[in-house]
Amino acid sequence: MGDSEGEGWERYGRVVIQSMQEVLAEAPEDVHALLLETADYWLSLGLAIGLRRPAAAERLLALIHGGDAAERGELDADAAAFSAEALG
């Protein structure tokens, strides 16, 4: 049986925080909430672009990562791990 919405949100929040640990460790504690809110916004924006405009998402990723296939492969692996953890 699936998670309740609240449980799903909590799991997602934990995964975002875990994935941001390196950034949070280098930032003053008083800006952690802002950094996490910003990360959540950009993740949500990226997901919306990917769902509604997949060709644009592909172009944006190519623009961000250029022709670096290794970096793109690493990002794909990170994305798969993030999704698996966040969704259970």
Side-chain angles (χ1 to χ4, degrees):
M1 188 158 186
D3 292 335
S4 72
E5 186 175 322
E7 290 169 338
W9 178 252
E10 287 178 23
R11 178 183 294 135
Y12 166 78
R14 281 192 306 272
V15 174
V16 169
I17 291 168
Q18 288 169 352
S19 67
M20 294 278 297
Q21 284 301 331
E22 187 174 318
V23 172
L24 295 174
E26 295 177 7
E29 195 168 324
D30 62 329
V31 298
H32 285 192
L34 180 61
L35 290 172
L36 291 168
E37 184 178 340
T38 301
D40 176 59
Y41 171 77
W42 286 107
L43 179 58
S44 297
L45 183 67
L47 289 169
I49 292 169
L51 285 171
R52 305 267 191 262
R53 297 168 184 84
E58 188 71 33
R59 288 180 56 208
L60 285 167
L61 279 173
L63 178 66
I64 293 166
H65 295 291
D68 191 342
E71 192 171 326
R72 181 70 184 269
E74 192 175 314
L75 182 63
D76 288 342
D78 289 346
F82 182 93
S83 296
E85 249 185 278
L87 298 174

